[in-house]
Amino acid sequence: EIGIAEAMHEKYANKLFLIKFACGGSSLKGDWLDKRNSMYPKMINYIYMQIKNLKDKGYNPTIKAFCWMQGEGDAYPGSYNVYKDNLNTFVGNLRQDLAKYTPKTGLPFIDAKINPDTEVWPYGPQVNEQKEAFAAENDLNILIDTIAAGMHTDQEPWGNIDKCHYDSESEILLGHLLAEAFEPFLEPVE
């Protein structure tokens, strides 16, 4: 969100709000898939609450895009091979549950590839293949190629490298790439 805000602030200050909801170490299959999983209803309720807060402040919010950076928790047997099907369920639920706040053309879903290092995520490349297949199904499904963008995991924390997650520099870059991907869905600024 810092990279998104950095990329969008000057042009969209006070016209663009980010609603962030996150849970580390979660999986799409086990935590986010649908209304029966623990994180999905919490996230939807949180989004509704933030929309109400914006309305109470005099704004008329519309959700222009949904950004997603997840998949590592599904890079294991029994999850990676159904990731695309699970994305279809998850995004279908999102588009249904958020429809009254999204454009009539539909909710853009902007995703990003995970770290493909098989030492860290045994089936990371397969999750990324599933993400590619999902993105190819609909013009509103967008996938950011973090690998082609040169994102890396080997810079920090210093002295104890965390190869599981993109490092700070790469996370800022990811924010910029997410902003670039969803800017076409925003109204021009006067």
Side-chain angles (χ1 to χ4, degrees), residues 91-186:
V91 175
N93 287 333
L94 279 175
R95 288 179 172 146
Q96 181 180 12
D97 291 339
L98 300 177
K100 63 184 170 183
Y101 301 112
T102 61
K104 290 180 181 168
T105 54
L107 177 65
F109 181 81
I110 304 168
D111 196 359
K113 289 184 177 181
I114 65 169
N115 173 7
D117 185 340
T118 56
E119 279 185 49
V120 180
W121 309 115
Y123 294 93
Q126 289 87 346
V127 168
N128 286 337
E129 288 170 8
Q130 297 272 312
K131 287 175 176 255
E132 288 170 358
F134 177 77
E137 290 182 345
N138 184 323
D139 289 342
L140 291 176
N141 300 342
I142 298 158
L143 181 63
I144 295 169
D145 190 340
T146 56
I147 296 119
M151 291 179 56
H152 43 78
T153 62
D154 60 354
Q155 303 298 311
E156 61 187 32
W158 300 277
N160 188 20
I161 299 298
D162 174 7
K163 292 183 82 176
C164 294
H165 302 95
Y166 290 123
D167 53 40
S168 298
E169 178 182 63
S170 292
E171 288 289 340
I172 298 293
L173 173 59
L174 176 60
H176 292 180
L177 294 170
L178 290 167
E180 183 180 310
F182 77 69
E183 189 168 15
F185 301 103
L186 301 174

Side-chain angles (χ1 to χ4, degrees), residues 32-35 40-41 43-45 47-48 51 63 89-102 107:
W32 298 96
L33 189 56
D34 60 33
K35 297 165 186 167
Y40 185 85
M43 175 188 65
I44 293 297
N45 288 333
I47 292 169
Y48 289 164
I51 288 171
I63 300 173
T89 299
F90 175 69
V91 175
N93 287 333
L94 279 175
R95 288 179 172 146
Q96 181 180 12
D97 291 339
L98 300 177
K100 63 184 170 183
Y101 301 112
T102 61
L107 177 65

